Amino acid sequence: MADETFKKCVDFHGHICPGIAIGFRAAQILMDRLGVRKAPDEELVAVVETDACGSDAIQVMTGCTFGKGNFIFRDYGKHAFSLTDRKQGRTFRVCLRPDALKTDPGHLPLMEKVRNEKATPDEMEQFRQLQQERIRKVIEADPESLFKIEEVLPFIPPTARIVTSEICEVCGESTKADLLRVVNGRKVCIPCWQQKCVIT
Amino acid sequence: MADETFKKCVDFHGHICPGIAIGFRAAQILMDRLGVRKAPDEELVAVVETDACGSDAIQVMTGCTFGKGNFIFRDYGKHAFSLTDRKQGRTFRVCLRPDALKTDPGHLPLMEKVRNEKATPDEMEQFRQLQQERIRKVIEADPESLFKIEEVLPFIPPTARIVTSEICEVCGESTKADLLRVVNGRKVCIPCWQQKCVIT
């Protein structure tokens, strides 16, 4: 757990939790299978099937980040992550096994209490210990017992396009030209277009 | 430019560019106006109106990250970012001024050449210098000359919900229960539901 890269994930995410550990292991395994390092630009492409904590570790580890266009979200509600290396044209996917992390029946109600600031100090400590134990299990687990790991059909989307900006003729804000709408012959941004009443 | 927090943004993003500098300054200014620090959990909420480079610096600086549910994307194509402090119930928004960064007419074609690996070494160096100059301007600019800065109506979305997972009855993968669909009385995940032909 003292791994420097895991610390970076926790630092970025803002706190330590089992979810960030799952994403960390997923990224490690995917990068290992492809034999790649963090992408300075768009060399790799990640697909995350969850917007939960683990996706933050995918960003930190792989360099596939929201702001680089090589981080794609599919809202499937699964702890599943894919990574493509454009150069090799190969994609691997990992999906957390349902039995990888058995949940203690009292865990979710306890988590709710902690989140709603209704936990006693004892309950806070109990929750902290449960979380620590889950994190340890994830970090130490054998890859195959944690995830279903498979090479899948390569997913190679186009790289990000460079688009010039133009001024919205209503609010005057600079806007990506391909997102401007034309209303009564005037080029307007989406928020101004949504309030059509103000366009005369 | 030697600022440690800016280095963190660049490290996360994978490379240095004017976009990451714009996001860095935006986050600095928003956090300063609200008087807040990086959010360990969901204390702050960011809205980014672009999926360009700057949004990565927003994640690093504010702690509003894709995987924490307090990072909201609106695809308006603007270098505009908002930050809410839930505790104060206040939201500030910054939007890059159209005249803040004058673009040299040769800049975009040169960028295309570099991206497509068709630039000569001289052109590469010319591009690097142009980028460095733009980054310097952004980092050194006065906040008001760089951005339109305003307090806007507070935007306070609900915090992330905790949802249990259930098994998709087709692929056997663990799935957020509220994303399962019911087909012929069986609970199936979205990818399996999209391939209905396999469900009997």
Side-chain angles (χ1 to χ4, degrees):
Chain A
M1 246 183 278
D3 187 299
E4 204 52 47
T5 51
F6 183 56
K7 277 190 193 150
K8 269 194 184 177
C9 297
V10 173
D11 177 49
F12 173 70
H13 187 57
H15 62 260
I16 190 168
C17 61
I20 198 81
I22 292 168
F24 169 71
R25 291 302 310 277
Q28 263 190 334
I29 293 163
L30 290 165
M31 294 168 81
D32 180 59
R33 294 291 162 118
L34 286 168
V36 294
R37 303 212 300 194
K38 177 174 167 156
D41 205 335
E42 296 185 63
E43 297 84 351
L44 306 176
V45 181
V47 175
V48 298
E49 298 179 32
T50 177
D51 55 2
C53 314
S55 53
D56 276 350
I58 298 291
Q59 292 192 88
V60 173
M61 297 281 290
T62 66
C64 298
T65 64
F66 179 86
K68 261 195 345 232
N70 58 348
F71 176 83
I72 291 160
F73 173 44
R74 293 190 184 144
D75 194 11
Y76 296 161
K78 301 186 182 192
H79 289 290
F81 311 94
S82 305
L83 192 66
T84 298
D85 177 18
R86 290 183 186 277
K87 210 168 180 176
Q88 299 175 65
R90 296 180 76 188
T91 303
F92 278 85
R93 176 180 184 267
V94 297
C95 181
L96 189 72
R97 292 193 185 278
D99 55 359
L101 268 185
K102 295 236 171 49
T103 305
D104 181 293
H107 193 236
L108 277 186
L110 195 57
M111 187 188 283
E112 283 288 2
K113 270 194 181 175
V114 171
R115 282 174 56 97
N116 299 329
E117 297 176 5
K118 288 179 181 162
T120 64
D122 275 3
E123 286 171 328
M124 292 278 281
E125 178 54 25
Q126 189 192 345
F127 181 69
R128 200 192 60 77
Q129 283 182 16
L130 272 171
Q131 291 287 84
Q132 275 300 112
E133 181 54 21
R134 288 165 72 81
I135 292 162
R136 193 189 56 76
K137 273 187 188 158
V138 172
I139 296 291
E140 292 176 2
D142 169 66
E144 298 283 351
S145 70
L146 197 58
F147 295 108
K148 176 172 79 178
I149 307 169
E150 50 190 349
E151 181 159 8
V152 294
L153 283 177
F155 171 70
I156 309 172
T159 53
R161 287 178 311 136
I162 299 169
V163 178
T164 53
S165 287
E166 289 186 34
I167 304 294
C168 165
E169 292 180 49
V170 173
C171 67
E173 291 185 351
S174 186
T175 304
K176 252 174 91 178
D178 62 352
L179 287 174
L180 286 166
R181 312 285 173 103
V182 180
V183 183
N184 297 337
R186 300 171 72 189
K187 292 178 187 168
V188 300
C189 71
I190 292 172
C192 289
W193 171 76
Q194 284 168 339
Q195 302 172 41
K196 284 199 189 77
C197 52
V198 302
I199 304 169
T200 51
Chain B
M1 245 184 278
D3 188 298
E4 204 51 48
T5 52
F6 184 56
K7 276 189 194 150
K8 269 194 183 176
C9 297
V10 173
D11 177 50
F12 173 71
H13 187 57
H15 62 260
I16 191 168
C17 61
I20 199 81
I22 291 168
F24 169 71
R25 291 300 312 275
Q28 264 190 333
I29 294 163
L30 290 166
M31 293 168 82
D32 181 59
R33 295 291 163 119
L34 285 168
V36 294
R37 305 212 298 194
K38 178 174 166 153
D41 204 335
E42 297 185 63
E43 297 84 352
L44 307 177
V45 181
V47 175
V48 298
E49 299 179 32
T50 176
D51 55 2
C53 313
S55 54
D56 276 351
I58 298 291
Q59 292 193 88
V60 173
M61 297 281 290
T62 66
C64 298
T65 65
F66 179 86
K68 265 201 336 239
N70 58 348
F71 176 82
I72 291 160
F73 173 44
R74 293 190 184 144
D75 194 10
Y76 296 162
K78 300 185 181 192
H79 290 291
F81 311 94
S82 306
L83 192 65
T84 298
D85 177 18
R86 290 183 185 276
K87 210 169 180 176
Q88 300 176 63
R90 295 180 75 187
T91 303
F92 278 85
R93 177 180 184 267
V94 297
C95 181
L96 189 71
R97 291 192 185 279
D99 55 359
L101 269 186
K102 296 234 172 50
T103 305
D104 181 293
H107 193 236
L108 278 185
L110 195 57
M111 187 187 284
E112 284 288 1
K113 270 194 180 174
V114 172
R115 282 174 55 97
N116 299 329
E117 297 176 4
K118 287 180 180 162
T120 64
D122 276 2
E123 286 171 328
M124 293 278 280
E125 178 54 25
Q126 189 193 344
F127 180 69
R128 200 192 59 77
Q129 283 182 16
L130 272 172
Q131 292 286 85
Q132 275 299 111
E133 181 54 22
R134 288 166 72 82
I135 293 162
R136 194 190 55 76
K137 273 188 187 157
V138 172
I139 296 291
E140 292 176 2
D142 170 66
E144 298 283 351
S145 70
L146 196 58
F147 295 109
K148 176 172 79 177
I149 306 169
E150 49 190 350
E151 182 161 9
V152 294
L153 283 177
F155 172 70
I156 309 172
T159 53
R161 286 177 312 136
I162 300 169
V163 178
T164 52
S165 286
E166 290 186 34
I167 304 294
C168 165
E169 293 181 48
V170 173
C171 67
E173 292 185 352
S174 187
T175 303
K176 251 175 93 180
D178 61 352
L179 287 174
L180 285 166
R181 311 285 173 104
V182 179
V183 183
N184 297 337
R186 300 171 73 191
K187 292 177 184 168
V188 300
C189 71
I190 293 171
C192 289
W193 170 77
Q194 283 168 340
Q195 303 173 39
K196 284 200 190 75
C197 51
V198 302
I199 304 169
T200 50

